[in-house]
């Protein structure tokens, strides 16, 4: 599978809890403006495609496209459609592809959503966050629950799938407030809901308010209680958890996000976006080799081989974060990467464990066996199968995981709440 992620770094205002790579200015220089942004991303697509060709990477037609941010819908709908059309021309798009954009409810209406549907979009993810006015105010969100409902109704009318995102643990949010938000989201009739615990970074406005004592710090026990409330209410409404923070009716899971968790290839476009390739062959390009430091100003020539690694290794790269420097690299016909790194077999094993233990489909121990063998570690596949199953028994007894007959390890709800601990124990089992 091959996916494309497009980061749109523009926002109407910066929310107090947000530490994403976003900006409220309309023009950030070097062509990175709201009005010209689609053109810049399309140019990056062409540079990325050329880099792939130069390094023998032949990706299949794109299976999912996701526009995130920031606020993608701050751009004109025709700009999002233009970028989607360019993906279709450059890589091709699979007939059943999932095409999603995140949307701020304040920035879309029926006409906007109809234009997205006509342009090939299949799904809209609305940033709802809460249905309680004082919680929305604490989060610096300006939309109302009515705006969210209007957006979902417009998407339904246009034949698009809808999802809503919720955040729990905001300062001052009671358990009843959270129940109100969850039940309001369910009552919208959407088939997919994400619920994320609030993470407070010290450099954000909210982080500074908490440090100053003007807002209370989120509480782990409170967040755990809210997770359990959400899980119960979603399950009662027919929404099943398929990833630690995501619930959907069967068949409505986010295919794009599943691709991330299954470790497929994806190209990330836009300032700060990350890309991932499972294997890049060194012999495919005579100038290949890891360059740990990006050239002055960031970015790399399309034929320079930055980040190319030997076969059986993976590659992770990330775009220059500041839009002006990102745009400068594109204007100089350079792939706008800030840097890249190899993904060693040991790191790949760690990622397989971390990602697999977040999914309802579970961690495939047989796949882990193969990864250990590929990594050339001291444990053999047979040792992992035999010994690890015995090692897992205490975790099963503690109610953290279940193990199926086909050796898939699935976290229980308790295991989801203690996911970091479960992952660390698995790291100990396999010696990473």
């Amino acid at each position: 599978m091959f996916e494309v992620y497009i980061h749109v770094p523009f926002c109407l205002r910066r929310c107090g809890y947000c530490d994403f790579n976003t900006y409220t200015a309309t023009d950030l220089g070097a062509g990175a403006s709201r009005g010209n942004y689609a053109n810049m991303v399309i140019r990056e697509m062409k540079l990325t495609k050329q880099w792939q060709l130069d390094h023998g990477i032949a990706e299949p037609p794109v299976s999912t496209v996701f526009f995130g941010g920031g606020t993608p819908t701050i751009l004109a709908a025709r700009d999002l459609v233009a970028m989607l059309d360019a993906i279709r021309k450059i890589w091709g798009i699979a007939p059943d592809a999932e095409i999603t954009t995140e949307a701020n409810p304040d920035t879309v209406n029926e006409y906007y959503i109809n234009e997205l549907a006509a342009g090939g979009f299949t799904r809209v993810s609305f940033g709802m966050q809460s249905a309680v006015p004082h919680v929305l105010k604490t989060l610096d969100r300006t939309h109302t629950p009515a705006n969210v409902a209007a957006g979902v109704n417009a998407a339904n009318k246009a034949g698009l799938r809808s999802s809503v995102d919720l955040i729990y643990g905001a300062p001052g949010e009671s358990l009843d407030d959270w129940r109100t938000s969850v039940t309001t989201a369910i009552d919208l009739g959407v088939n997919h809901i994400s619920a994320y615990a609030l993470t407070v970074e010290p450099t954000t406005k909210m982080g500074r308010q908490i440090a100053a004592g003007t807002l209370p710090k989120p509480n782990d026990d409170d967040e755990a209680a809210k997770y359990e409330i959400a899980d119960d209410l979603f399950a009662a409404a027919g929404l099943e958890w398929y990833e630690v923070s995501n619930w959907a009716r069967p068949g409505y899971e986010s295919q794009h996000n599943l691709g991330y968790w299954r470790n497929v290839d994806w190209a990330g476009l836009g300032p700060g976006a990350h890309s991932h390739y499972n294997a890049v062959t060194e012999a495919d390009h005579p100038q290949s080799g890891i360059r740990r430091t990006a050239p002055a100003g960031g970015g790399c020539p399309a034929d320079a081989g930055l980040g190319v690694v030997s076969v059986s290794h993976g590659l992770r790269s990330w775009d220059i974060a500041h839009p002006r420097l990102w745009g400068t690299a594109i204007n100089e016909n350079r792939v706008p990467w800030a840097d890249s790194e190899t993904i060693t077999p040991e790191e790949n094993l760690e990622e397989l464990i971390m990602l697999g233990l977040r999914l309802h489909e579970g961690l495939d121990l047989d796949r882990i066996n193969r990864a250990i063998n590929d990594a050339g570690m001291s444990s053999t596949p047979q040792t992992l199968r035999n010994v690890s199953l015995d090692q897992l028994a205490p975790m099963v007894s503690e109610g953290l995981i279940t193990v199926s007959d086909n050796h898939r390890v699935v976290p229980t709800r308790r295991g989801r709440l203690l996911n970091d601990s479960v992952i660390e124990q698995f790291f100990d089992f396999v010696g990473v």
Side-chain angles (χ1 to χ4, degrees):
M1 290 178 62
F2 177 54
E3 302 185 334
V4 173
Y5 170 77
I6 297 176
H7 182 72
V8 178
F10 302 104
C11 277
L12 292 172
R13 61 181 292 175
R14 189 169 184 83
C15 298
Y17 63 91
C18 178
D19 71 334
F20 294 164
N21 188 35
T22 62
Y23 306 83
T24 56
T26 58
D27 190 338
L28 294 158
S33 65
R34 291 185 195 175
N36 192 53
Y37 190 71
N39 295 328
M40 297 298 289
V41 170
I42 291 168
R43 290 173 64 186
E44 183 181 1
M45 290 180 198
K46 294 174 181 177
L47 290 168
T48 300
K49 176 65 174 182
Q50 188 59 53
W51 179 87
Q52 292 173 344
L53 292 173
D54 288 346
H55 298 92
I57 299 173
E59 297 288 4
V62 174
S63 56
T64 72
V65 180
F66 195 100
F67 291 79
T71 307
T73 50
I74 205 171
L75 303 181
R78 64 178 176 274
D79 288 344
L80 300 186
V81 172
M83 288 184 274
L84 180 59
D85 286 343
I87 292 171
R88 188 175 289 108
K89 292 175 183 176
I90 292 169
W91 284 289
I93 296 179
D96 58 347
E98 176 191 87
I99 315 295
T100 303
T101 185
E102 292 180 340
N104 180 327
D106 284 342
T107 61
V108 296
N109 56 30
E110 184 175 350
Y111 301 104
Y112 192 106
I113 287 175
N114 286 343
E115 193 169 347
L116 293 181
F121 282 76
T122 65
R123 190 171 176 274
V124 182
S125 179
F126 293 96
M128 177 177 172
Q129 319 312 354
S130 175
V132 179
H134 79 86
V135 177
L136 289 171
K137 184 177 180 181
T138 299
L139 295 172
D140 284 333
R141 303 292 291 188
T142 59
H143 69 266
T144 66
N147 287 356
V148 179
V152 170
N153 289 337
N156 290 341
K157 190 175 178 181
L160 302 182
R161 292 185 174 187
S162 294
S163 173
V164 294
D165 291 352
L166 298 174
I167 292 177
Y168 57 91
E173 179 188 58
S174 68
L175 294 180
D176 284 341
D177 289 336
W178 176 238
R179 285 192 188 91
T180 296
S181 293
V182 172
T183 55
T184 301
I186 291 170
D187 289 345
L188 289 170
V190 296
N191 294 310
H192 186 285
I193 302 176
S194 301
Y196 302 103
L198 177 67
T199 301
V200 179
E201 299 296 338
T203 56
T204 62
K205 173 186 172 183
M206 182 176 285
R208 292 189 294 271
Q209 290 174 317
I210 289 173
T214 58
L215 284 179
K217 183 180 180 180
N219 178 275
D220 290 344
D221 291 339
D222 173 73
E223 290 186 343
K226 288 172 179 173
Y227 185 92
E228 291 177 331
I229 288 170
D231 198 40
D232 286 340
L233 292 174
F234 291 150
L239 296 159
E240 301 176 2
W241 82 274
Y242 70 95
E243 190 273 340
V244 168
S245 299
N246 288 272
W247 291 258
R249 300 187 197 282
Y252 288 85
E253 300 84 358
S254 168
Q255 296 305 306
H256 186 84
N257 286 339
L258 278 173
Y260 287 151
W261 295 315
R262 290 169 177 164
N263 231 16
V264 304
D265 285 11
W266 70 83
L269 307 166
H274 285 227
S275 298
H276 174 268
Y277 297 94
N278 277 296
V280 182
T281 306
E282 187 173 33
D284 286 328
H285 197 281
Q287 295 177 321
S288 61
I290 294 300
R291 183 185 301 160
R292 286 295 180 184
T293 304
C300 65
D303 62 350
L306 181 145
V308 181
V309 296
S310 59
V311 70
S312 83
H313 287 69
L315 165 69
R316 182 185 293 106
S317 66
W318 49 97
D319 274 22
I320 300 165
H322 195 281
R324 179 175 57 81
L325 297 178
W326 169 83
T328 298
I330 292 172
N331 291 333
E332 295 173 356
N333 291 318
R334 293 185 285 126
V335 178
W337 289 355
D339 208 346
S340 67
E341 64 184 7
T342 58
I343 303 170
T344 67
E346 291 81 6
E347 290 168 337
N348 181 61
L349 177 60
E350 291 178 0
E351 291 183 3
L352 289 175
I353 292 171
M354 288 189 293
L355 298 169
L357 287 172
R358 292 188 64 87
L359 292 172
H360 188 270
E361 66 189 40
L363 176 68
D364 184 349
L365 287 183
D366 294 332
R367 186 179 182 189
I368 295 301
N369 291 342
R370 293 192 295 271
I372 287 177
N373 189 50
D374 291 343
M377 299 176 68
S378 57
S379 299
T380 66
Q382 187 63 40
T383 301
L384 177 65
R385 275 195 300 271
N386 294 337
V387 175
S388 68
L389 289 176
D390 291 339
Q391 290 172 320
L392 295 180
M395 297 177 72
V396 174
S397 298
E398 292 170 24
L400 294 171
I401 60 171
T402 61
V403 183
S404 67
D405 291 340
N406 63 347
H407 296 171
R408 281 194 173 269
V409 180
V410 180
T412 62
R413 182 157 79 181
R414 184 163 184 263
R416 283 179 269 156
L417 288 168
L418 299 172
N419 200 246
D420 289 346
S421 175
V422 172
I423 290 168
E424 286 297 330
Q425 290 188 60
F426 267 83
F427 284 172
D428 289 341
F429 296 156
V430 301
V432 295

